[in-house]
């Protein structure tokens, strides 16, 4: 019995010993853990981040992050671009941070700065030794760097493609685009009219520039500062611009109906007709009931290809008369059945006309020229009222250099048209001396049969 009591007392002491030991160990662990927790809390990198977040205002973050913005081309302002991104991202969102575990270890801690769900930058902390030494190998953290989010990771990128005439430097956001951005030194101008697309002549040589990626506002201008609008919407991330050539061309062509007119091999159609009228037969409706023929005026401007004009009638190539305003004037070619009488009528009228206009006192000259004009026409009225003015005109001598009659064309049985072209030197005698000048001119003529069957001038109009 006594032995059993001794054994029981020994087991109790054993249990008490181990219980006390375990309590002591637990106490020591708690003390160590508590101390570690205090050290850990004091040396957490988040503590440095919390202090930084409390210290810096929204404007502080904008300025600090914008100062490190980069990764864009020389045609964009990275700071301004980031400021816009920051303002649009932060507006209405709270700033927060999150540790980037994949890049954090005992040598550095990286935090990502967020505005809502959008990344706007990252903060890098490094451990450092302080006067107060911490146990467990823990150290405090100091700010190493604040860098902005890489814009290329956050903004949509576009590539800008600019076609400009050879020798013309385009500007992108106010900066001249260098030749290193040329991707094709010879491309065709695509912005051509329907007529020009039918030309057999090449358009002006264009140079294609390509710049990208771009992330912000895009402004393309020519060397004079004129802003160029984009061609449509972006396609496959490419936004196109075309700086049009400043040199443009135009043409004016006058030709009778039935004459085919071509510009660089492309036949002109109704789209190019600006007027259609019987200009040569104006005032002759009483004498020519069946009418004359229409004269068409073709006119186009704003061309980027210099037009080469030609015309033909029934397969016969025509030679133009160049009017005073630079227009090409075409007529029907000589008909095969033109009589000698028609030639004599045109030549006789013009000889009497020149004689009358060069001798101011010769009343006989006026009668001679009126005898070759159809009575009652506007042409007859003009000459009948011209004599008084001719009396006061200077006496003029003419030295004829060239005289051509051509383009004789029948209009029915009682009418024909023709042209008269001449070059001459004139000397006008006036009270204060003589005035010499050269003149090159021409006329469009309409002749009708008179009552006695002779050919008489009905209209006379100078080439404009």
């Amino acid at each position: 019995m006594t032995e059993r009591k001794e054994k029981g007392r020994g087991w109790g002491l054993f249990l008490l010993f181990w219980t006390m030991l375990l309590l002591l160990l637990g106490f020591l662990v708690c003390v160590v853990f508590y101390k570690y927790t205090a050290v850990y809390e004091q040396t957490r990198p988040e503590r440095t981040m919390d202090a930084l977040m409390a210290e810096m205002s929204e404007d502080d973050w904008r300025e600090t992050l914008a100062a490190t913005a980069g990764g864009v081309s020389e045609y964009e302002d990275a700071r301004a671009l980031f400021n816009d991104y920051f303002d649009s991202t932060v507006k209405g969102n709270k700033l927060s941070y999150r540790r980037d575990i994949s890049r954090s270890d005992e040598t550095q801690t990286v935090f990502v700065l967020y505005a809502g769900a959008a990344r706007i930058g990252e903060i890098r902390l490094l451990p450092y030794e302080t006067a107060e030494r911490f146990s467990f190998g823990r150290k405090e953290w100091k700010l190493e760097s604040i860098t902005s989010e890489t814009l290329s990771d956050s903004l949509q990128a576009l590539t800008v493609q600019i076609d400009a005439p050879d020798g013309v430097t385009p500007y992108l956001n106010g900066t001249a685009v260098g030749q290193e951005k040329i991707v094709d030194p010879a491309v065709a101008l695509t912005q051509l009219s329907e007529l020009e697309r039918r030309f057999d002549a090449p358009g002006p040589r264009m140079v294609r520039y390509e710049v990208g990626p771009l992330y912000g506002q895009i402004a393309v201008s020519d060397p004079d500062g004129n802003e160029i609008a984009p061609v449509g919407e972006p396609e496959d991330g490419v936004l196109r611009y075309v700086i049009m050539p400043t040199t443009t061309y135009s043409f004016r062509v006058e030709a009778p109906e039935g004459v085919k007119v071509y510009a660089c091999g492309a036949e002109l159609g109704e789209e190019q007709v600006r007027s259609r009228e019987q200009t040569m037969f104006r005032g002759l409706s009483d004498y020519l009931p069946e009418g004359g023929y229409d004269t068409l005026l073709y006119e186009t401007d704003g061309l980027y290809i210099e037009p080469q004009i030609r015309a033909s009638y029934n397969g016969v190539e025509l030679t133009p008369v160049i009017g005073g305003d630079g227009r090409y004037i075409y007529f029907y070619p000589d008909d095969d059945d033109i009589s000698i009488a028609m030639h004599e009528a045109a030549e006789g009228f013009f000889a009497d006309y020149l004689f009358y206009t060069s001798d101011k006192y010769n009343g006989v000259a006026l009668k001679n020229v009126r005898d070759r004009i159809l009575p009652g026409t506007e042409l007859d009225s003009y000459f009948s009222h011209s004599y008084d003015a001719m009396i006061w005109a200077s006496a003029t001598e003419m030295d004829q250099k060239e005289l051509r009659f051509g383009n004789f064309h029948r209009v029915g049985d009682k009418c024909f048209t023709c042209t008269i072209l001449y070059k001459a030197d004139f000397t006008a005698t006036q009270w204060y001396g003589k005035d010499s000048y050269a003149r090159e001119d021409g006329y469009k003529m309409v002749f009708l049969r008179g009552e006695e069957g002779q050919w008489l001038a009905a209209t006379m109009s100078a080439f404009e």
Side-chain angles (χ1 to χ4, degrees), residues 239-317:
L239 186 59
R240 293 195 64 245
Y241 291 81
V242 177
I243 298 177
M244 302 300 288
T246 56
T247 301
T248 59
Y249 304 91
S250 62
F251 65 77
R252 301 182 74 198
V253 180
E254 186 179 296
E257 58 183 338
V259 170
K260 293 184 176 182
V261 181
Y262 303 87
C264 293
E267 184 175 355
L268 304 185
E270 287 296 327
E271 299 81 3
Q272 287 76 47
V273 174
R274 293 295 174 265
S275 67
R276 179 193 295 268
E277 53 185 308
Q278 296 190 359
T279 53
M280 292 178 64
F281 304 91
R282 190 174 293 120
L284 298 181
S285 57
D286 293 340
Y287 306 94
L288 195 62
E290 64 274 21
Y293 56 77
D294 286 346
T295 296
L296 281 65
L297 175 63
Y298 300 89
E299 188 173 82
T300 297
D301 56 15
L303 298 174
Y304 297 102
I305 302 175
E306 185 174 7
Q308 303 298 318
I309 304 297
R310 68 177 186 87
S312 65
Y313 180 72
N314 291 338
V316 178
E317 289 290 321

Side-chain angles (χ1 to χ4, degrees), residues 107-376:
T107 63
Q108 68 171 12
T109 300
V110 178
F111 290 94
V112 178
L113 187 65
Y114 289 87
R119 296 170 59 114
I120 60 174
E122 69 175 38
I123 299 93
R124 181 169 178 259
L125 304 181
L126 296 180
Y128 74 107
E129 295 287 349
T130 61
E132 180 182 359
R133 300 184 62 84
F134 296 95
S135 54
F136 306 105
R138 302 287 296 181
K139 297 177 182 179
E140 285 192 296
W141 296 84
K142 64 178 181 180
L143 176 65
E144 170 64 15
S145 62
I146 299 176
T147 56
S148 67
E149 177 68 6
T150 303
L151 293 173
S152 59
D153 295 338
S154 304
L155 298 177
Q156 183 178 2
L158 279 177
T159 295
V160 166
Q161 194 177 84
I162 307 171
D163 290 355
D166 187 23
V168 173
T169 299
Y171 282 73
L172 176 58
N173 294 337
T175 300
V177 181
Q179 294 189 352
E180 71 277 3
K181 301 298 183 181
I182 294 176
V183 295
D184 193 335
V187 296
L189 176 63
T190 56
Q191 271 59 28
L192 295 175
S193 64
E194 182 277 333
L195 176 62
E196 289 174 288
R197 288 196 292 271
R198 295 192 284 118
F199 283 3
D200 58 13
R205 176 185 171 190
M206 305 289 284
V207 176
R208 178 163 294 170
Y209 299 79
E210 199 165 274
V211 181
L214 297 170
Y215 302 98
Q217 295 295 321
I218 295 171
V220 174
S221 58
D222 63 20
D224 295 328
N226 301 309
E227 189 165 345
I228 309 300
V231 180
E233 298 296 324
E235 293 186 11
D236 299 326
V238 177
L239 186 59
R240 293 195 64 245
Y241 291 81
V242 177
I243 298 177
M244 302 300 288
T246 56
T247 301
T248 59
Y249 304 91
S250 62
F251 65 77
R252 301 182 74 198
V253 180
E254 186 179 296
E257 58 183 338
V259 170
K260 293 184 176 182
V261 181
Y262 303 87
C264 293
E267 184 175 355
L268 304 185
E270 287 296 327
E271 299 81 3
Q272 287 76 47
V273 174
R274 293 295 174 265
S275 67
R276 179 193 295 268
E277 53 185 308
Q278 296 190 359
T279 53
M280 292 178 64
F281 304 91
R282 190 174 293 120
L284 298 181
S285 57
D286 293 340
Y287 306 94
L288 195 62
E290 64 274 21
Y293 56 77
D294 286 346
T295 296
L296 281 65
L297 175 63
Y298 300 89
E299 188 173 82
T300 297
D301 56 15
L303 298 174
Y304 297 102
I305 302 175
E306 185 174 7
Q308 303 298 318
I309 304 297
R310 68 177 186 87
S312 65
Y313 180 72
N314 291 338
V316 178
E317 289 290 321
L318 303 179
T319 301
V321 174
I322 308 300
D325 60 356
R327 80 173 66 183
Y328 290 75
I329 305 174
Y330 289 97
F331 299 92
Y332 293 116
D334 289 335
D335 291 338
D336 294 334
D337 58 349
I338 296 300
S339 66
I340 294 175
M342 294 177 181
H343 279 275
E344 290 178 344
E347 293 168 3
F349 165 80
F350 195 65
D352 286 340
Y353 164 73
L354 289 178
F355 183 59
Y356 170 64
T357 56
S358 64
D359 193 335
K360 66 177 181 176
Y361 299 117
N362 195 337
V364 175
L366 175 61
K367 179 182 182 305
N368 290 343
V369 75
R370 289 194 65 196
D371 285 345
R372 293 183 177 276
I373 297 174
L374 188 67

